[in-house]
Amino acid sequence: MTGFWNVWVITLTVIFLVFMILVVVKYWKTNHLADENKTVDSFDNIDENDGPPPRIMFIAYLVAFSCSILFLILYPGLGNWQGLLGWQQSDDTPREHNVSLDEQIASITSPTLNALAAEPAITASGKALFQTHCAACHRANGQGQKHFPNVVDDVWLYGGTDEAILHSIKQGRNGAMAGWKAILPKEDIQNMSYYLASLQQRPLNAPSVKIDLGKNAFLKNCSACHGADAKGNQVIGAPNLSDSTWVHGGSIEEIQHTINNGLNNVMPAFEGQLSNNEILALGAYITEQRIAHNAKIAAIPVDTITKGEYLAYAGDCVACHSAEGGEPFAGGLPFVTPFGTVYSTNITPHVTEGIGDYSYEDFKAALYDGKGKHGYLYPAMPYTSYQYVTEDDVLAMWDYLQSITAVSRRNDDNSMIFPSNIRLGLLGWNIAFMDTSPLDLTSDAPKGGTVEETEIWSRGKYLVMGLGHCSECHTPRNIAQALEADKIFQGNLIDGWNAPNISSQELYQDRWDVKSLTDFLHTGHSDKGSAFGGMADVVKNSTSFMTRNDVEAMATYLLTGDDNNRIPPDTQQLQPTGFTDLAKQSDMYTLFKTTCGVCHGEDGKGRDPIAPTLLNNGIIMHSDPYNTIAVTIRGLEPSYLSEERNFMPMVSFQNILTDAQLSDLISFIRQYLGDRTVPITGNNVKDVREKLQKAGYAGNFHTTPDMYDKRDRNIDVD
C-alpha cells in the first residue's frame, strides 16, 4: 500500500473509532438526566418515554471498543501496520495441508491410484477436495446427475485407467456430438432410438421392422464414432450405447432429443487450480469409492442376485417403475386416480435420485407397511399385496436392486389434491383399510388333492396374492381407493381398459383351462385370444420371465379359487356355436365380413399372424362387454410380445360405424362367437365412447407406438 493510502486508511479508521467513542460517552454522561415518566412523543396512541438505556449496554460498548483497539494493535488493520503478532493472510491457506499431503504421497513407493486409495489420510483429503470442486456436477456421492457421469462406477467415457482419469481431472474433457435434426428424417431418428433401446434388452412397444430400420440408419450415420456394435470409442469419448448407462437420459424421448439436438459437454481442467498431489488425492478418493462399490456388489452371491432378479420381474417391478419408453426401474409412470396423479419412483441404487440411501429395513418397511423413508406411500404401490412376500424373497430382491445401474433420473412431483397430498393421512388409510392378517396358503386348498397338487395351488396363491398382486388391478375399489375384499378379482376399470373379472366362476364359465390360461400368461397368446393393453405389459415385463411351472401354478390357483372366490355348483360353461347357416344369411354377417372378417376370418377363427380368434375368445365371451366395445372404438396396437404373433394393428371404428351399428355388430358377434345372448344397446356403446373420448383414447384409425405421448395424464377415464 502506498504512503498516501496508508495514511488515509489509518486516519479514517481512527476518526471513526474516536467518533463512536465520543457518541457513547455523551450518552453515558447524560444518562442520569433521562426521565422514564416523561413522554417524548406518541405514535398511534403508543407513548414513547424518555427511559435511560440499561447500564449493560454501555459495558458491552466498553468491551467492544477495548477488543477493537487490542485487535488493531495485535493484527493488521491500520494501513501497512502488520501487528505485533506478525500474522499474514497466507497463514490461513492450506499450506500445511499441502505439505502434509505431499509428505503422505511421497511416502508411497508406487503412487498408483489403487495404492493411494488404500491410505485413509489421502482419501480424506481427496474427499474434501471432491466436495469443493466436483460435487456440484457429480453429486456429493460421485454418482452423478443427468448430463454429468457417475465417477464411482466402472463406466468411463475416456477409459478408467489411472492415466485416463488423471488426464480428465488435469486437462478436462470436451465432448461434442452433432445434432441430426436438420439432416435425418424424423422417422430415422425415431427408429434409431428404438434400436438403441433394444440393445438394452428392454421391452419396447415397437415392431422389429422399426428396430431393423433404426439399426441400418445407425450403421450409416453413427457407427463412425460409436462403432458398428454401438460399444463406443474411448479414444474420442464416444459412449457405449449398448449398456444400461445413459449420461444424458436413456428414455426413448431423451435418446431422440440427444440425436436431434446434439451435445456439447465440457469438463473443466483443474491443472491450474490444484497441485499434482491434490489431483492424485482426488483420483484416490474416486478409486476408493469405486473399489468399495464393487466390493459391496461382489459380496452378494451371484445366485442371490439371480433369484432377486427373477422375483423382481415376477413382482412386475419394472413395469410400474419405468415410464413409457423409459429406463428400467427409473420411475416416472403416471397413475391417474380420482385424487390426482401419482408417479412411480426411481428404485435404482442412486443415492439422491433413487433408493441408494435406503437401508434394507427401509426397503422392507416400504414393501410390507407402505412406509417410505420420506413418508407413507400411496396404495398405487401394492404394499397391501407385497406384505405377503416372504422375507427371504424380499432380501433377494433388495440385493438385486443394489446390483443394477444407478440411474440419475429425478422423481416426478405428484399432483394430489388436498388433503390427499398430506402423507401422514395415509397412515390412517392403512389403519382403516389394510388387512394385515397373514396369507393362508393351506386351509383353503382344494380338498382331496394330492400333496403335489396342493403344493402347486399354494405356490400359485403365493404368487397371485403376493408378488403378482393380481388383485390390485382386477378388484373393484371403494371411494377411498381401497380394495373391496368381498369382490376380489371381479374387475376394475384402469387406463381406459377393463381389467376384467378373473374370478374362478368367470374363468370357468368362459371355458378357460390350465393350459390356455398358462399359455396366455406366459406368452400373451392362447387359443382364447391374446393379451392387449395393460395385460400385454404384464406379460411382457413380468410373467414371460417366469418359469412355466410358476405360471401354471398361478393359473391353477385362479381357476380353482378359494375363500370369496368359489365356483357356484350350478355354474354352466358357455358353448359358442360359431356362425350358423341362419346367421350367415343375416345382414349383420355381411357387415361382419366387410369389417371384422377381413382380418379375423369369415368364420371368426382368426388368421395368423394377422388377427387372433374371436370364436371362444375370452374377451368376447366375458360377461362384461366393456373391452369388446372399447377395442372397436380405440383400435388396438400390436402387443409386440413375440415376433411370430404380433398381429396387425386393429382398425378403430370410431369414425366408421355409428353407435347403433356397433351395438348390433357386437351383439351379433357375442351371440355366435361367445354364447352371450344379452344384447348390447346403442347407449352402452355411447357411454364407453364418451369415457374414452374424455380421456383422449378415441378417434385414431390405427394406433401407433407413440400415440399416447401427448395425452393428458391427469384425466381420469371415470
Side-chain angles (χ1 to χ4, degrees):
M1 188 181 296
T2 65
F4 170 77
W5 287 111
N6 178 50
V7 174
W8 178 255
V9 170
I10 293 174
T11 301
L12 287 181
T13 302
V14 171
I15 289 174
F16 176 77
L17 189 60
V18 171
F19 175 75
M20 290 302 300
I21 292 174
L22 291 176
V23 170
V24 174
V25 169
K26 173 185 179 301
Y27 279 99
W28 170 264
K29 290 182 175 181
T30 60
N31 194 42
H32 66 283
L33 300 176
D35 182 4
E36 61 182 12
N37 297 317
K38 177 183 177 182
T39 300
V40 177
D41 206 342
S42 295
F43 303 91
D44 295 333
N45 296 322
I46 299 176
D47 294 337
E48 179 184 353
N49 292 341
D50 183 26
R55 183 180 297 272
I56 187 65
M57 187 184 76
F58 295 104
I59 296 175
Y61 274 120
L62 176 62
V63 173
F65 289 139
S66 301
C67 290
S68 299
I69 295 171
L70 181 63
F71 178 89
L72 292 174
I73 294 173
L74 298 177
Y75 291 95
L78 291 173
N80 291 330
W81 169 252
Q82 295 299 310
L84 296 179
L85 295 181
W87 177 89
Q88 296 182 8
Q89 186 175 3
S90 59
D91 293 340
D92 279 349
T93 62
R95 178 180 300 175
E96 294 300 322
H97 159 76
N98 289 337
V99 172
S100 176
L101 183 60
D102 292 341
E103 292 174 349
Q104 292 165 3
I105 293 179
S107 67
I108 306 298
T109 305
S110 177
T112 64
L113 293 186
N114 279 347
L116 296 175
E119 300 294 328
I122 294 176
T123 56
S125 297
K127 181 178 181 180
L129 291 164
F130 187 91
Q131 301 304 314
T132 301
H133 300 284
C134 312
C137 293
H138 296 284
R139 296 286 188 176
N141 61 355
Q143 282 186 309
Q145 55 183 313
K146 188 175 180 180
H147 303 306
F148 301 98
N150 185 336
V151 294
V152 295
D153 62 7
D154 288 324
V155 181
W156 287 79
L157 289 177
Y158 296 90
T161 64
D162 287 9
E163 180 183 6
I165 293 173
L166 294 175
H167 176 96
S168 295
I169 301 173
K170 288 180 180 179
Q171 301 183 30
R173 300 288 186 179
N174 192 343
M177 170 180 162
W180 295 85
K181 186 174 184 178
I183 302 172
L184 295 179
K186 179 181 178 181
E187 291 74 14
D188 278 0
I189 293 174
Q190 182 186 66
N191 292 338
M192 277 198 287
S193 71
Y194 293 141
Y195 166 65
L196 293 174
S198 74
L199 297 178
Q200 198 179 339
Q201 304 299 315
R202 72 172 92 161
L204 293 171
N205 288 326
S208 60
V209 64
K210 284 183 173 285
I211 294 173
D212 290 340
L213 290 172
K215 180 177 181 180
N216 293 336
F218 177 87
L219 292 173
K220 182 179 179 180
N221 300 286
C222 311
S223 59
C225 292
H226 295 281
D229 56 2
K231 293 189 180 298
N233 185 345
Q234 291 184 342
V235 175
I236 61 174
N240 183 346
L241 303 178
S242 64
D243 61 12
S244 57
T245 300
W246 295 87
V247 176
H248 306 288
S251 69
I252 296 293
E253 182 181 2
E254 288 169 319
I255 294 173
Q256 291 178 9
H257 182 274
T258 300
I259 300 173
N260 274 316
N261 301 289
L263 293 164
N264 186 18
N265 272 19
V266 177
M267 157 80 179
F270 286 93
E271 194 170 33
Q273 302 180 48
L274 302 176
S275 70
N276 187 63
N277 283 340
E278 286 176 324
I279 291 174
L280 284 173
L282 264 177
Y285 170 68
I286 292 170
T287 302
E288 179 210 31
Q289 294 300 299
R290 182 169 50 164
I291 292 172
H293 171 76
N294 290 341
K296 175 183 176 182
I297 303 304
I300 305 173
V302 175
D303 57 345
T304 300
I305 293 178
T306 302
K307 176 184 177 182
E309 180 180 23
Y310 179 84
L311 294 168
Y313 278 93
D316 207 14
C317 304
V318 69
C320 289
H321 286 279
S322 306
E324 292 182 21
E327 294 177 81
F329 301 108
L333 187 70
F335 293 84
V336 180
T337 77
F339 308 106
T341 301
V342 180
Y343 292 87
S344 64
T345 55
N346 184 336
I347 58 170
T348 70
H350 197 285
V351 171
T352 55
E353 326 296 10
I355 59 171
D357 64 337
Y358 272 48
S359 66
Y360 168 67
E361 294 301 323
D362 294 330
F363 180 72
K364 187 172 70 171
L367 261 66
Y368 281 173
D369 306 317
K371 185 179 180 181
K373 189 172 182 179
H374 306 292
Y376 285 91
L377 306 178
Y378 291 101
M381 162 67 175
Y383 58 86
T384 51
S385 294
Y386 286 159
Q387 63 172 320
Y388 302 130
V389 181
T390 65
E391 188 159 353
D392 284 345
D393 285 353
V394 171
L395 182 58
M397 286 193 291
W398 166 252
D399 286 339
Y400 166 66
L401 290 175
Q402 298 307 293
S403 72
I404 65 177
T405 300
V407 179
S408 58
R409 184 190 183 279
R410 295 184 179 181
N411 288 319
D412 299 272
D413 293 328
N414 298 325
S415 55
M416 302 296 287
I417 62 175
F418 178 83
S420 302
N421 58 344
I422 300 176
R423 294 275 185 160
L424 186 60
L426 294 166
L427 173 61
W429 190 96
N430 290 343
I431 295 172
F433 299 110
M434 185 174 173
D435 181 4
T436 58
S437 56
L439 185 66
D440 188 350
L441 298 176
T442 55
S443 63
D444 288 331
K447 307 301 181 184
T450 65
V451 173
E452 181 181 6
E453 289 172 340
T454 300
E455 289 178 350
I456 292 174
W457 180 92
S458 297
R459 175 66 174 171
K461 181 173 183 178
Y462 172 72
L463 292 170
V464 167
M465 299 301 295
L467 283 169
H469 59 277
C470 306
S471 62
E472 301 285 341
C473 288
H474 289 274
T475 300
R477 294 179 179 267
N478 61 24
I479 192 173
Q481 294 300 290
L483 298 178
E484 299 182 32
D486 59 335
K487 297 180 181 179
I488 190 168
F489 299 135
Q490 292 183 21
N492 188 28
L493 198 61
I494 297 177
D495 207 20
W497 294 114
N498 180 26
N501 184 332
I502 56 170
S503 64
S504 56
Q505 177 183 2
E506 180 76 39
L507 294 174
Y508 175 78
Q509 194 173 35
D510 297 345
R511 302 187 70 84
W512 288 89
D513 57 27
V514 171
K515 182 183 183 306
S516 60
L517 189 53
T518 301
D519 288 343
F520 179 85
L521 293 174
H522 203 218
T523 69
H525 302 288
S526 75
D527 58 10
K528 298 288 292 177
S530 298
F532 59 87
M535 192 62 210
D537 290 335
V538 171
V539 175
K540 189 184 304 182
N541 295 291
S542 179
T543 53
S544 63
F545 290 92
M546 300 172 67
T547 65
R548 187 168 179 90
N549 285 342
D550 272 352
V551 176
E552 188 173 300
M554 295 173 69
T556 299
Y557 168 71
L558 287 170
L559 289 164
T560 305
D562 63 357
D563 190 34
N564 288 334
N565 183 24
R566 300 293 187 186
I567 303 174
D570 57 347
T571 303
Q572 300 294 316
Q573 290 189 312
L574 300 175
Q575 302 285 346
T577 61
F579 294 122
T580 63
D581 291 338
L582 181 62
K584 292 178 180 180
Q585 297 174 16
S586 67
D587 293 339
M588 272 300 113
Y589 182 69
T590 302
L591 180 60
F592 172 84
K593 286 197 302 180
T594 57
T595 52
C596 313
V598 174
C599 294
H600 293 280
E602 294 185 0
D603 56 3
K605 294 181 180 179
R607 295 172 59 196
D608 282 341
I610 297 175
T613 179
L614 298 181
L615 178 64
N616 289 311
N617 185 290
I619 293 300
I620 301 297
M621 299 174 71
H622 200 277
S623 56
D624 188 341
Y626 182 95
N627 279 345
T628 305
I629 298 171
V631 164
T632 63
I633 294 172
R634 294 179 65 163
L636 202 61
E637 65 176 303
S639 59
Y640 305 113
L641 290 167
S642 65
E643 185 62 30
E644 296 76 21
R645 299 188 66 183
N646 273 337
F647 297 127
M648 298 289 290
M650 159 104 179
V651 173
S652 165
F653 294 98
Q654 163 75 356
N655 300 316
I656 299 174
L657 298 178
T658 66
D659 292 346
Q661 288 174 317
L662 271 179
S663 64
D664 290 342
L665 178 60
I666 293 172
S667 297
F668 178 76
I669 294 171
R670 280 170 57 85
Q671 177 181 351
Y672 289 101
L673 304 183
D675 197 20
R676 290 290 183 180
T677 57
V678 177
I680 307 302
T681 68
N683 284 334
N684 295 144
V685 175
K686 179 183 176 183
D687 290 343
V688 175
R689 185 196 298 272
E690 288 178 347
K691 283 186 176 183
L692 296 177
Q693 286 176 332
K694 176 184 176 183
Y697 288 115
N700 297 281
F701 188 75
H702 284 93
T703 60
T704 63
D706 57 348
M707 70 169 286
Y708 305 124
D709 284 354
K710 305 303 180 184
R711 185 175 66 82
D712 187 347
R713 298 290 176 185
N714 292 313
I715 295 178
D716 183 4
V717 74
D718 291 326

